[in-house]
Amino acid sequence: LSELRTAVLIHPALLRERYRSEQVAPAVIRVESTRTAPGVIEHGSPFAEVDLTAETAPRARVESFAGALEWAGVRARLQEGESATLWAKMSFLAPFALLTTRHGVPVGDVRTSYREELAALVEETAAVGRACGAPIDPATALARYDAFPAATKSSMQRDAEAGRALELDAIGGALLRAAERTGVPVPVAGELVRRLTPIAGTGTWDTSGCRGRTSWGSPSPKSSSWSFSPSRRPVNSMRTGVPDCS
């Protein structure tokens, strides 16, 4: 499970740098799960869905893998368009993780008590996705929120509750970096990342300005662009989940 989780969520370009392109089939998963003990995963959602892509991997092999997932009880679909598939997940994941963690409430409360903020953040994320070439519809993302079980919590929220380091760089940071590259303003996302930074345990962020630019380590006085030192970058920061749209 650990290897699968890493393989489907790590940045595709990084995987293709290390492995042959035909070995890389980016995918996304939708499930609420929590590791309650070593080797023990508790599934809290009534579903587990995986969307696979095969832009560079042999389609027959990916279809075979999808069949194996279906046999195991996981709903699996082979989707057309790697960027669209990954950004469809990001358009849900980023608002879900950032808002549930910031307000300390499950998704049911986010979609009711914080509906306006949710809608604004979904629109920002969709705008960045569209700028990266993915046909993201914010109404579709909002509909997913309305369909989720009300008590669902994000993994980032569970990490915050347990005092663990947050995947803020991998989720909020990935969104802000894509916004920076495409010049899309994301003031709501930038403000949420700024407020979550003190409890993140994963670095220092500079979210000044409407685009919420970020930096790894100490912000540079000469530049607000994101940068990092590989020797200091935590493993969780590799969980980007979105393609490069530079």
Side-chain angles (χ1 to χ4, degrees):
L1 177 62
S2 175
E3 291 182 6
L4 174 63
R5 177 182 173 88
T6 301
V8 299
L9 290 175
I10 198 171
H11 200 301
L14 297 180
L15 281 173
R16 289 186 174 116
E17 287 178 3
R18 172 166 290 191
Y19 306 101
R20 298 194 304 272
S21 293
E22 61 268 26
Q23 293 180 301
V24 179
V28 299
I29 185 170
R30 286 180 292 276
V31 66
E32 182 191 17
S33 61
T34 305
R35 185 173 61 181
T36 57
V40 179
I41 306 297
E42 179 182 286
H43 285 233
S45 58
F47 57 84
E49 303 172 346
V50 173
D51 290 342
L52 298 140
T53 64
E55 287 194 1
T56 59
R59 189 177 185 89
R61 293 186 64 186
V62 179
E63 288 176 341
S64 178
F65 180 52
L69 290 174
E70 288 277 356
W71 178 85
V74 177
R75 182 185 177 191
R77 301 178 299 181
L78 185 55
Q79 302 283 73
E80 300 298 334
E82 179 179 300
S83 180
T85 299
L86 296 177
W87 272 103
K89 170 66 180 287
M90 189 63 162
S91 68
F92 178 86
L93 175 63
F96 178 42
L98 295 175
L99 289 173
T100 56
T101 307
R102 169 70 182 96
H103 298 295
V105 298
V107 69
D109 290 331
V110 166
R111 68 191 182 210
T112 54
S113 301
Y114 302 97
R115 184 79 179 191
E116 185 175 348
E117 189 177 15
L118 170 63
L121 186 54
V122 166
E123 179 57 52
E124 285 184 3
T125 309
V128 177
R130 289 193 297 270
C132 290
I136 303 302
D137 177 17
T140 300
L142 281 174
R144 292 197 189 100
Y145 280 98
D146 293 331
F148 251 60
T152 303
K153 295 182 178 182
S154 68
S155 60
M156 183 187 289
Q157 180 184 1
R158 293 184 182 278
D159 285 340
E161 292 173 347
R164 294 187 291 264
L166 307 186
E167 294 179 316
L168 189 59
D169 172 74
I171 299 174
L175 175 60
L176 296 186
R177 289 189 292 275
E180 171 72 17
R181 289 192 296 269
T182 56
V184 176
V186 288
V188 177
E191 176 64 12
L192 285 167
V193 170
R194 184 185 70 81
R195 290 183 175 274
L196 287 171
T197 295
I199 64 169
T202 55
T204 301
W205 293 74
D206 172 17
T207 54
S208 59
C210 66
R211 290 189 183 136
R213 295 183 174 93
T214 65
S215 63
W216 184 261
S218 300
S220 167
K222 298 181 180 180
S223 172
S224 55
S225 298
W226 182 86
S227 61
F228 71 92
S229 169
S231 62
R232 297 175 58 197
R233 190 179 189 180
V235 173
N236 277 354
S237 71
M238 299 294 284
R239 185 180 180 273
T240 58
V242 294
D244 188 4
C245 55
S246 57

